[in-house]
Amino acid sequence: RKEVEQDPGPFNVPEGATVAFNCTYSNSASQSFFWYRQDCRKEPKLLMSVYSSGNEDGRFTAQLNRASQYISLLIRDSKLSDSATYLCVVNKGSGYSTLTFGKGTMLLVSP
Amino acid sequence: DAGVTQSPTHLIKTRGQQVTLRCSPKSGHDTVSWYQQALGQGPQFIFQYYEEEERQRGNFPDRFSGHQFPNYSSELNVNALLLGDSALYLCASSFPDGDNYGYTFGSGTRLTVV
């Protein structure tokens, strides 16, 4: 089983749609959780951290369920500029901090 | 405030050759991690350097080696290149604290092996 698994995608949605991405992780000792955004042929950039209580940043909402080892990202009112690959990322934080990435889910928002 | 800088941006090498990629961390960061991102995949952890020593390593063969210098900059060396080594190589700098997640990524070096 892969350490971090994501929906395979791509997701094709019209502008204004709501889209949800799902992710599961295998290491129950994982400490920190993130969503990164990666534009085509660019480096990954931190979109938001994910907390057990759930957190929101504008149109973006992230949720974490530690019991189910499940992470989600909801994007409301999609914009053309949201088109990118969304990477689910886990930091095991077991002494040394290293990031484990999912394969990513591509989002294409069309007019 | 300079972020993470990587060089070169693009590189083409022949199978069997050796390559060295370079990374300068963000100001204030002293830990450098290297990742390999093949086309259509997420970044895969290669290794991490702190205090000039490799302190963690991912599932990569010994052909992949690295170094960290006293100024915290780092090199990634790959020997005996294979076609499958073609990828985007990302360097990320951070603080060494396991609870700190302030990673900053460089824009990467795109390596093509022919």
Side-chain angles (χ1 to χ4, degrees):
Chain A
R1 181 184 174 187
K2 291 185 179 178
E3 289 190 72
V4 180
E5 296 203 62
Q6 296 185 239
D7 294 330
F11 284 25
N12 288 277
V13 302
E15 270 188 294
T18 295
V19 60
F21 300 125
N22 302 310
C23 169
T24 58
Y25 60 95
S26 61
N27 188 339
S28 59
S30 298
Q31 308 247 339
S32 309
F33 309 89
F34 314 93
W35 285 99
Y36 274 70
R37 171 195 168 123
Q38 186 172 27
D39 293 297
C40 187
R41 303 181 75 83
K42 300 285 189 182
E43 73 274 22
K45 292 185 177 178
L46 179 65
L47 177 66
M48 59 195 303
S49 303
V50 188
Y51 304 112
S52 297
S53 55
N55 49 298
E56 192 173 300
D57 183 2
R59 298 180 293 108
F60 299 82
T61 301
Q63 296 277 355
L64 166 65
N65 185 321
R66 285 187 182 268
S68 304
Q69 295 178 205
Y70 168 84
I71 306 163
S72 67
L73 175 69
L74 185 75
I75 304 176
R76 292 181 300 279
D77 188 23
S78 298
K79 311 290 185 191
L80 295 177
S81 58
D82 293 334
S83 296
T85 294
Y86 291 83
L87 296 157
C88 178
V89 185
V90 171
N91 184 344
K92 284 183 273 191
S94 53
Y96 303 134
S97 168
T98 61
L99 301 180
T100 302
F101 287 80
K103 186 176 179 179
T105 303
M106 183 182 291
L107 172 64
L108 301 170
V109 182
S110 54
Chain B
D1 180 22
V4 177
T5 57
Q6 292 187 245
S7 62
T9 55
H10 296 82
L11 202 54
I12 299 176
K13 288 287 190 178
T14 304
R15 276 178 297 176
Q17 284 189 315
Q18 179 265 342
V19 68
T20 298
L21 310 181
R22 295 176 176 83
C23 171
S24 292
K26 179 179 178 179
S27 177
H29 285 178
D30 55 9
T31 301
V32 174
S33 303
W34 287 92
Y35 291 81
Q36 179 197 64
Q37 187 174 23
L39 197 62
Q41 302 295 317
Q44 298 295 308
F45 175 69
I46 303 175
F47 42 52
Q48 184 180 81
Y49 277 84
Y50 171 65
E51 291 190 338
E52 302 179 50
E53 291 191 358
E54 179 187 295
R55 68 174 186 178
Q56 280 204 100
R57 188 179 183 92
N59 188 24
F60 278 80
D62 292 344
R63 297 186 298 109
F64 289 77
S65 63
H67 188 79
Q68 186 179 34
F69 299 94
N71 66 353
Y72 310 125
S73 67
S74 177
E75 288 183 348
L76 164 64
N77 301 292
V78 187
N79 294 322
L81 284 167
L82 304 173
L83 295 179
D85 295 331
S86 295
L88 177 66
Y89 288 85
L90 295 161
C91 170
S93 71
S94 63
F95 297 106
D97 186 342
D99 293 331
N100 188 301
Y101 47 80
Y103 279 76
T104 301
F105 281 84
S107 55
T109 294
R110 191 164 298 278
L111 172 65
T112 302
V113 182
V114 298

